């Protein structure tokens, strides 16, 4: 007898901003029993099943979708003498990056790798608006790669060719580049290879210096000078004047300072020379010094002769003289620093001459004003950079060490993996904050783009993001095992910084109270409460949010009060206090809407969708709240593919799945999956949650192969982001085992469940509910293989754990009663099975309702036992009622409907009514043949129909021929199995062999 187990959907309990995890994530219960500690706030990239292996040849072009470490190639951007640049997606940083490959031979591979690691280390110390950010460095086959900030724009040379700019436009771009170089020098770094190809002009008009591949701290210069001299002796044809030759000479000859050609150490004035050589070429369209080959170029550069400007050039003489000084052969005669060069470039005397026409006094005043303005501008830029650098107080090397130590100190077996995976999220968040803070300051104090109101709103948004980061780092630095389990989800869910730079988003934010200190106190308390929520400390979080709410009331700010109530709703939801959570969310919704805080209202509405529509099973009320939340999104002008809208779709999907509208739910989850992949990338841990959600629905709908693929994809993401011993990995192992069991792969299911049980016992101890669930699942598989004694022992141990934790009456207890009854039924102990099934049925009808598909599962199983003891009327009534429930909740073509139909056919045969058996048997076979169900199930259906056709009145000729064919097909489907069913089929075929 086959007992089919049911599915219980459990949604997430994590309230969040639109940039974080939604409040309606659906994680499938284990396939054989139920969700094991499933909560997408605690459950959590596409690692490569569908990504082609990367090419290893230095000249092989990598195609889109190729995996390079954790990165995924998007497309080729360009190539040069040193290598190739691609656009790629970085899942750890959740962003598009530029990926540069350096061409190296086997001989110089180590040297190239050393140079690139030097580049990454150098730029990790530097964050400046005019310097391209470097994220990571690595090797791939024989190639070395570097991932860096993706800049939409063109190199300086390409920009000049496309725009044909005047000298003022060129000067403005080069001043920005000079600011980036000056910032690097202040950080103790040299570039050593400045040229037009290493300066990007973004579509936003901002210039960025890139490719610090030759950068090194000044203190390293003398240590490596001997090496540099050794490799600077080269053949004349080995080095292009255009490009740096790896392993030959440090720099690009056409832009190198004289001292570099003669083996002297480079310094800041060497970078100044290269910068001026680049500026000269951009202004005049030709190089300052030229030569037909390297020897002639070296001679021209070191001769001391000044460069010659082309006749008719429309570049003012003052600018030519500034650049000429920077190109002096004697470095002592150049500008004292790049800052000094920048000051000279800023001091445009043509502007002063124009002012002289207005009168001597005004001219003198204007000249002085220019100097003052330049000084003020420089100071303002430095101040903005300092404001951005303030994030170092929150996230720095010491904070990273504290975080790692705090996580590892818990002794959780997956702590090291979690520590390694959370760090990039904090690093990326800090880098985003730094850039946003600098740009916000510049927009107000230097660029004059933003008004004071927008500036204040942006500062408030950035303050909140900083406090959230600070609170979470502090909380995880003193983590317990629960916090470690949730750490990746929490770190990846930090609110995005981008909205703080969006004037349209900022304009929708309500006006904050004038008491800035009071507002900061509120944000600090709220951030601490959120950190407690994200670390799984919900009671403590309630205490802290109460303090934040008191601050909001003292400030008389409805929007802040709504914000506090929304977080309170999250915490109450986590604690299972659904009535209180509903009240908190509802208060936040209406208070926020009245205050014009429509984002808060939308988030509260999305929380209500889940807590009302799913947690409390008030499906229609939940769907009405989803329409209210949709109104808020419309007011906000939210994009159809925003993360907040994805959370709303999730909430609806959970409700529809609970109602049995599986295809509608699957459609919503597929849309959510697409949105999150686009937003986070294919390998983000939050994508794994959505994959699980969709797999749950596919499994519930009997689409086992689809479910299998989705679970395997989710499992790969979780193992990579959480570690192989994480409890959420164990949950997905259970899910996958359920699919394997349903499709007849019992050995694979058993191996997966044994691994899951081992993980849970090691993590939680022997008496935890999660262990009980794993025991129940493994016992089900053991029962299927005939190990009844072991299966019963495991089920009784699971039952004891659950009754102790949940009490004697609980849905999870009913599941184990159902499973234990199945063991007795399989062992032929039918009266024991009957009593247990009846107890489970009464509990499920009371707790889940008479029309729940879980109730139908027990009805079907009980009907099978009643059939075996000869109570055909009771069995028929049970099967008919179960079939009706399944059709209403799962659809008419679900495999569980087929189980009931087979039961009805078997009853008809037992009562000597084979004609009544034909129709249900035909329909059962049609359903199972079209599904992914195990072959044994379809074989049983074929045999049932064969018996009905053979014994039906008039069952001669064609019907009996078909019956033999069906029985033969059933035997083939059971080949290799030593079962009672196969023996019955063999006996049937033998008995009927001589019949007409």
């Amino acid at each position: 007898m086959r007992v089919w187990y049911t599915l219980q959907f459990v949604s997430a309990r994590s309230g969040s901003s639109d940039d974080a995890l939604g409040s309606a994530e659906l994680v499938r219960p284990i396939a054989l029993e139920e969700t094991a500690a499933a909560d997408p706030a605690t459950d959590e990239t596409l690692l490569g099943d569908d990504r082609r292996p990367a090419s290893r040849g230095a000249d092989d072009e990598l195609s889109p979708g190729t995996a390079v470490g954790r990165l995924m190639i998007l497309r080729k951007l360009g190539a040069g003498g040193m290598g190739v640049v691609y656009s790629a997606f970085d899942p750890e940083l959740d962003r598009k990056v530029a990926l540069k490959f350096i061409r190296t031979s086997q001989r110089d591979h180590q040297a190239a790798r050393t140079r690139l690691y030097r580049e990454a280390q150098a730029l990790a110390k530097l964050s400046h608006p005019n310097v391209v950010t470097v994220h990571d460095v690595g090797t791939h086959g024989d190639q070395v790669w570097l991932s860096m900030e993706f800049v939409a724009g063109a190199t300086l040379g390409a920009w000049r060719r496309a725009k044909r700019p005047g000298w003022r436009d060129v000067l403005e771009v080069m001043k920005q580049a000079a600011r980036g170089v000056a910032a690097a020098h202040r950080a103790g770094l040299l570039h050593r290879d400045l040229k037009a190809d290493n300066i990007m002009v973004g579509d936003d008009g901002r210039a960025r210096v890139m490719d610090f591949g030759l950068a090194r701290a000044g203190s390293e210069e003398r240590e490596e000078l001997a090496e540099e001299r050794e490799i600077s002796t080269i053949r004349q044809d080995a080095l292009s004047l255009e490009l740096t030759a790896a392993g030959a000479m440090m720099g690009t000859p056409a832009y190198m300072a004289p001292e570099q050609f003669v083996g002297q150490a480079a310094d800041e004035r060497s970078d100044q020379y290269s910068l001026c050589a680049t500026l000269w070429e951009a202004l005049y369209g030709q190089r300052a010094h030229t030569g037909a080959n390297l020897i002639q170029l070296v001679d021209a550069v070191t001769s001391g002769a000044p460069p010659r400007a082309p006749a008719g050039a429309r570049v003012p003489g003052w600018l030519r003289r500034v650049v000429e000084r920077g190109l002096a052969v004697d470095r002592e005669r150049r500008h004292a620093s790049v800052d000094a060069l920048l000051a000279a470039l800023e001091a445009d005397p043509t502007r002063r001459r124009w002012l002289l026409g207005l009168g001597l006094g005004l001219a003198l005043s204007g000249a002085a004003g220019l100097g003052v303005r330049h000084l003020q501008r420089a100071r303002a830029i430095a101040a903005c950079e300092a404001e951005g650098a303030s994030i170092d107080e929150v996230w720095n090397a010491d904070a990273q060490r504290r975080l790692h130590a705090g996580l590892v100190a818990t002794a959780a077996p997956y702590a090291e993996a979690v520590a390694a995976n959370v760090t990039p999220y904090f690093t990326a968040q800090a880098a985003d904050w730094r850039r946003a803070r600098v740009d916000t300051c510049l927009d107000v104090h230097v660029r004059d783009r933003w008004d004071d109101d927008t500036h204040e709103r942006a500062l408030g948004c950035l303050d909140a993001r900083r406090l959230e980061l600070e609170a979470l780092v502090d909380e995880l630095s003193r983590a317990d095992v629960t916090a470690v389990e949730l750490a990746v989800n929490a770190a990846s869910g930090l609110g995005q910084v981008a909205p703080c730079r969006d004037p349209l988003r900022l304009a929708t934010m309500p006006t904050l109270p004038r008491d800035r200190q009071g507002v900061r106190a509120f944000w600090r308390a709220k951030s601490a409460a959120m950190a407690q929520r994200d670390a799984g400390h919900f009671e403590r979080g309630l205490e802290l949010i109460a303090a934040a709410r008191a601050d909001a009331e003292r400030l008389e700010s409805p929007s802040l009060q709504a914000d506090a109530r929304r977080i309170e709703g999250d915490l109450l939801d986590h604690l299972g206090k659904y009535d209180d959570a509903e009240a908190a969310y509802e208060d936040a919704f209406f208070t926020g809407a009245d205050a014009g805080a429509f984002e808060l209202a939308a988030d509260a509405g999305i929380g209500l969708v889940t807590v009302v529509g799913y947690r409390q099973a008030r499906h229609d009320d939940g769907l009405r709240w989803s329409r209210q939340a949709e109104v808020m999104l419309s007011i906000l002008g939210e994009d159809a593919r925003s993360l907040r809208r994805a959370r709303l779709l999730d909430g609806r999907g959970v409700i529809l799945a609970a109602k049995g509208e599986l295809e509608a739910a699957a459609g919503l989850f597929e849309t959510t999956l697409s949105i999150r992949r686009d937003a986070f990338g294919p390998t983000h841990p939050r994508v794994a949650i959505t994959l699980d959600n969709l797999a749950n629905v596919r499994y519930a709908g009997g689409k086992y192969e689809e479910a299998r693929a989705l679970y395997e994809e989710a499992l790969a993401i979780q193992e990579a982001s959480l570690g192989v011993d994480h409890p959420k990995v164990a949950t997905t192992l259970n899910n996958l085992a359920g699919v394997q069991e349903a499709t007849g792969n019992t050995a694979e299911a058993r191996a997966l469940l044994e691994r899951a049980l081992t993980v849970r016992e090691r993590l939680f101890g022997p008496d935890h509910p999660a262990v009980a669930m794993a025991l129940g699942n493994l016992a089900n598989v053991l029962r299927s293989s005939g190990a009844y004694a072991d299966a019963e022992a495991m089920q009784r141990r699971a039952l004891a754990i659950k009754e102790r934790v949940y009490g004697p009456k609980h849905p999870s207890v009913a599941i184990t009663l159902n499973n234990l009854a199945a063991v007795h039924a399989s062992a032929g102990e039918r009266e024991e099975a009957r009593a247990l099934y009846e107890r489970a049925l009464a509990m499920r009808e009371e707790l889940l309702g008479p029309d729940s598909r879980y109730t139908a599962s027990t009805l079907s199983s009980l009907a099978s036992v009643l059939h075996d003891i000869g109570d055909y009327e009771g069995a028929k009534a049970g099967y008919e009622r179960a079939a009706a429930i399944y059709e209403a909740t799962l659809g008419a073509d679900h495999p569980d409907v087929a189980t009931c139909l087979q039961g009805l056919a078997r009853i008809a045969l037992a009562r000597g009514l084979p004609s009544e058996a034909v129709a249900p048997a035909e329909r059962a076979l049609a359903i199972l043949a079209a599904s992914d169900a195990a072959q044994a199930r379809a074989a049983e259906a074929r045999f049932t129909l064969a018996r009905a056709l053979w014994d039906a009145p008039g069952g001669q000729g064609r019907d009996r021929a078909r019956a033999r064919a069906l029985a033969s097909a059933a035997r083939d489907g059971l080949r290799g199995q030593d079962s009672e069913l196969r023996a019955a089929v063999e006996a049937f075929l033998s008995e009927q062999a001589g019949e007409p």
Side-chain angles (χ1 to χ4, degrees):
M1 180 190 66
R2 165 93 182 166
V3 179
W4 298 103
Y5 301 98
T6 58
L7 197 64
Q8 175 182 340
F9 290 98
V10 178
S11 63
R13 300 171 182 174
S14 174
S16 59
S17 73
D18 64 314
D19 302 306
L21 174 62
S23 60
E25 303 283 8
L26 175 65
V27 173
R28 197 187 73 77
I30 55 180
L32 305 181
E33 191 187 293
E34 64 181 319
T35 287
D39 184 339
T42 64
D43 273 37
E44 286 295 341
T45 143
L46 185 56
L47 280 186
D49 291 347
D50 66 346
R51 297 199 297 182
R52 293 172 289 282
S55 169
R56 294 181 178 271
D59 297 316
D60 292 342
E61 183 173 327
L62 303 181
S63 56
T66 298
V68 177
R70 70 172 186 269
L71 307 175
M72 183 174 69
I73 297 294
L74 299 178
R75 68 183 182 91
K76 181 179 176 181
L77 298 176
M82 281 195 69
V84 186
V85 180
Y86 297 89
S87 62
F89 185 82
D90 187 331
E92 288 191 2
L93 298 178
D94 300 330
R95 67 183 67 183
K96 189 177 182 181
V97 298
L99 185 64
K100 180 177 72 173
F101 281 86
I102 299 300
R103 290 198 174 101
T104 61
S105 66
Q106 194 65 36
R107 176 181 57 81
D108 63 8
H109 173 70
Q110 183 59 43
R113 180 168 60 184
T114 299
R115 290 172 64 202
L116 274 187
Y117 272 96
R118 180 184 301 139
E119 175 172 349
Q121 292 164 353
L123 288 188
K125 305 175 186 176
L126 179 62
S127 178
H128 189 277
N130 299 118
V131 176
V132 169
T133 301
V134 166
H135 301 310
D136 202 359
V137 63
T139 58
H140 182 72
D142 294 330
Q143 295 177 285
V144 184
W145 58 260
L146 190 79
S147 73
M148 66 189 83
E149 173 189 3
F150 182 88
V151 180
T155 63
L156 176 64
W159 175 78
R160 282 182 53 245
R161 289 189 293 272
K163 300 293 186 181
R164 298 187 178 276
W167 68 268
R168 291 187 184 278
D169 293 328
V170 168
L171 179 59
E172 180 57 36
V173 166
M174 289 302 297
K175 286 192 294 185
Q176 293 183 51
R179 292 187 193 108
V181 175
H185 288 176
R186 287 194 293 273
L189 304 173
L190 301 180
H191 190 290
R192 301 169 53 82
D193 194 25
L194 286 165
K195 56 187 176 183
D197 286 344
N198 285 340
I199 298 172
M200 286 290 295
V201 184
D203 292 342
D204 57 1
R206 176 153 53 102
R208 298 165 176 86
V209 181
M210 62 179 182
D211 278 8
F212 276 68
L214 304 175
R216 68 185 67 188
S219 61
E220 300 174 29
E221 183 71 23
R222 278 186 291 276
E223 296 177 15
E224 300 185 8
L225 182 56
E227 172 195 347
E228 190 171 315
R229 284 172 176 162
E230 182 180 336
I231 65 176
S232 65
T233 303
I234 54 175
R235 298 196 320 272
Q236 186 170 318
D237 61 350
L239 185 60
S240 163
L241 303 185
E242 303 289 339
L243 295 168
T244 302
M249 182 177 290
M250 293 300 187
T252 301
Y255 303 90
M256 282 168 55
E259 58 269 21
Q260 290 177 280
F261 284 112
V262 296
Q264 295 178 2
D267 63 10
E268 295 177 1
R269 291 165 296 181
S270 305
D271 275 354
Q272 180 190 148
Y273 181 98
S274 299
L275 197 63
C276 287
T278 303
L279 176 53
W280 182 279
E281 183 179 3
L283 289 170
Y284 294 109
Q286 65 182 41
R287 296 217 171 106
H289 298 289
T290 59
N293 53 46
L294 182 59
I295 293 175
Q296 291 182 12
L297 175 65
V298 172
D299 183 62
V301 170
T302 59
S303 69
R308 293 185 179 181
R314 296 184 177 181
V315 178
W318 72 268
L319 180 55
R320 175 177 54 79
R321 290 187 292 272
V322 170
V323 181
E324 282 178 347
R325 181 176 175 183
L327 292 170
V329 67
D330 181 356
R331 70 176 97 187
E332 297 297 331
R333 298 178 65 85
R334 297 173 201 154
H335 301 279
S337 65
V338 173
D339 276 320
L341 167 64
L342 183 57
L345 294 174
E346 295 274 11
D348 181 351
T350 60
R351 197 170 179 84
R352 290 200 299 273
R353 285 196 293 272
W354 178 80
L355 290 172
L356 281 172
L358 300 178
L360 181 59
L362 183 59
L364 291 174
S365 174
L370 279 173
V372 170
R373 280 198 299 276
H374 168 65
L375 181 59
Q376 289 174 337
R377 192 175 192 276
R379 287 175 175 170
I381 292 171
C384 290
E385 292 171 7
E387 288 185 11
S390 67
I391 197 65
D392 292 340
E393 300 166 9
V394 174
W395 183 245
N396 49 45
D398 180 62
Q400 186 171 334
R401 283 192 294 271
R402 284 191 295 108
L403 176 70
H404 181 273
L407 292 169
V408 173
T410 63
Y414 47 89
E416 281 284 0
V418 167
N421 280 294
V422 298
T423 297
Y425 291 110
F426 289 125
T427 300
Q429 185 78 350
D432 285 346
W433 193 95
R434 181 193 303 268
R435 281 189 290 272
R437 190 67 181 85
V438 170
D439 277 338
T440 297
C441 178
L442 292 175
D443 280 344
V444 174
H445 300 299
V446 177
R447 300 168 183 151
D448 197 26
R449 292 177 180 171
W450 280 8
D451 57 31
D452 289 342
D453 181 63
T454 304
H455 182 223
E456 280 298 311
R457 291 171 186 265
L459 290 181
C461 181
L462 289 168
D463 279 351
R465 292 291 182 265
R466 173 178 167 147
L467 288 168
E468 290 168 15
L469 174 63
E470 183 176 10
L472 189 56
V473 170
D474 287 346
E475 186 59 33
L476 294 182
S477 296
R478 50 176 182 270
D480 58 13
V481 172
T482 301
V484 178
E485 184 178 338
L486 299 174
V488 172
N489 184 64
S492 66
L494 285 166
Q496 292 183 348
V497 174
C500 301
R501 290 283 304 147
D502 184 344
L504 294 178
R505 291 285 292 274
L506 293 171
T508 65
M509 296 179 183
T511 302
L512 294 172
R514 293 181 178 275
D515 181 357
R516 187 65 180 274
Q517 292 303 314
V519 172
R520 285 186 60 80
F522 167 81
W523 277 329
R524 190 173 292 107
K526 174 197 160 187
S527 297
M530 292 171 64
Q532 294 294 330
R533 177 200 67 190
D534 294 340
H537 306 145
F538 309 126
E539 295 286 359
R540 176 58 178 152
L542 279 177
E543 295 173 9
L544 292 172
I545 203 61
R549 187 177 173 188
D551 287 336
E553 291 170 352
R554 187 165 50 252
L555 292 166
E556 298 181 346
S557 171
S559 64
L560 297 185
Q561 292 174 39
D563 203 1
R565 286 291 271 166
R566 179 181 63 87
I567 302 300
E568 190 176 350
D570 294 347
L571 291 160
L572 291 165
D573 184 11
H574 275 288
L575 289 167
K577 299 179 179 179
Y578 302 137
D579 289 340
D580 293 339
E582 179 182 357
Y585 279 138
E586 190 169 324
D587 186 17
F589 180 86
F590 289 112
T591 302
D594 288 344
F598 300 117
E599 289 190 357
L600 289 174
D603 290 333
I606 294 170
L608 283 161
V609 172
T610 302
V611 81
V612 172
Y614 181 72
R615 306 265 195 259
Q616 301 182 74
R618 289 156 44 199
H619 301 150
D620 291 340
D621 288 344
L623 292 174
R624 277 193 292 273
W625 272 115
S626 77
R627 290 192 288 273
Q628 295 272 31
E630 186 72 52
V631 171
M632 294 299 106
L633 298 185
S634 297
I635 293 173
L636 289 169
E638 284 270 351
D639 184 84
R641 295 182 63 79
S642 72
L643 292 173
R644 183 177 278 114
R645 194 173 296 277
R647 293 202 342 265
L648 178 58
L649 295 176
D650 254 350
R652 287 176 179 160
V654 170
I655 294 172
L656 293 177
K659 292 180 68 177
E661 299 178 24
L662 299 180
E663 284 306 311
L668 294 175
F669 290 137
E670 285 171 345
T671 302
T672 301
L673 181 61
S674 174
I675 293 172
R676 286 186 171 149
R677 276 176 170 160
D678 285 350
F680 295 131
T683 59
H684 195 281
R686 286 164 185 267
V687 171
I689 295 177
T690 316
L691 288 166
D692 259 327
N693 294 349
L694 182 56
N696 295 343
V697 176
R698 291 308 184 201
Y699 178 92
K703 298 182 178 180
Y704 300 129
E705 290 305 321
E706 288 185 46
R708 186 205 310 271
L710 293 165
Y711 284 134
E712 288 176 345
E713 189 175 332
L715 180 64
I717 295 172
Q718 290 170 333
E719 288 181 327
S721 61
L722 302 173
V724 295
D725 292 323
H726 196 279
K728 301 311 170 279
V729 170
T731 296
T732 304
L733 289 171
N734 273 319
N735 294 349
L736 185 55
V739 175
Q740 298 285 21
E741 196 273 347
T743 52
N745 300 316
T746 306
E748 291 88 341
R750 179 172 179 173
L752 290 167
L753 290 168
E754 286 175 342
R755 179 184 163 195
L757 177 60
T758 299
V759 170
R760 285 183 172 159
E761 285 185 318
R762 183 169 64 249
L763 294 176
F764 304 129
D767 299 321
H768 193 278
V771 172
M773 295 169 187
L775 285 167
N777 292 334
L778 182 55
N780 288 335
V781 174
L782 291 175
R783 178 190 59 78
S784 297
S785 62
Y788 302 135
D790 290 340
E792 181 182 356
M794 284 189 176
Q795 294 291 8
R796 291 197 178 279
R797 181 183 162 197
L799 182 63
I801 294 171
K802 289 184 175 184
E803 288 183 328
R804 183 173 60 253
V805 173
Y806 300 129
K809 186 179 292 186
H810 188 275
S812 189
V813 172
I815 289 172
T816 303
L817 289 171
N818 209 79
N819 291 345
L820 184 58
V823 175
H824 286 290
S826 297
E829 300 163 356
R830 297 184 178 92
E831 288 302 329
E832 292 89 338
R834 176 178 184 170
L836 288 165
Y837 277 134
E838 287 175 344
R839 182 181 164 194
L841 178 61
M843 196 178 297
R844 282 184 157 174
E845 286 182 321
E846 178 183 352
L847 298 176
L848 303 175
D851 297 323
S852 164
R853 63 178 180 275
Y854 311 114
T855 300
S857 172
T858 305
L859 279 167
S860 177
S861 299
L862 176 58
S864 179
V865 171
L866 293 175
H867 167 273
D868 290 344
I869 63 177
D871 183 359
Y872 299 136
E873 288 300 324
K876 181 180 179 184
Y879 279 133
E880 287 175 343
R881 182 181 163 200
I885 296 172
Y886 280 141
E887 289 195 32
T889 57
L890 301 177
D893 296 325
H894 194 276
D896 287 350
V897 175
T899 299
C900 297
L901 293 169
Q902 278 186 260
L904 291 169
R906 288 194 305 122
I907 291 171
L909 288 172
R911 296 173 68 182
L913 301 171
S915 296
E916 291 186 14
V918 172
E922 288 272 21
R923 186 177 163 206
L925 178 57
I927 293 172
L928 292 173
S931 77
D932 298 324
Q935 284 190 357
R937 296 189 68 185
E940 184 178 2
R942 288 187 176 92
F943 182 48
T944 301
L945 179 57
R947 291 173 55 202
L949 291 172
W950 189 273
D951 293 338
Q956 301 294 323
R958 185 171 57 188
D959 286 346
R960 288 199 164 180
R962 184 182 174 209
R964 284 195 183 95
L966 286 166
S968 296
R971 180 180 56 190
D972 293 342
L974 296 168
R975 195 177 302 281
Q977 296 189 26
D978 183 15
S979 65
E980 293 181 8
L981 177 60
R982 188 171 189 277
V985 174
E986 293 283 10
F988 174 86
L989 288 170
S990 297
E991 290 171 6
Q992 313 307 338
E995 294 290 329

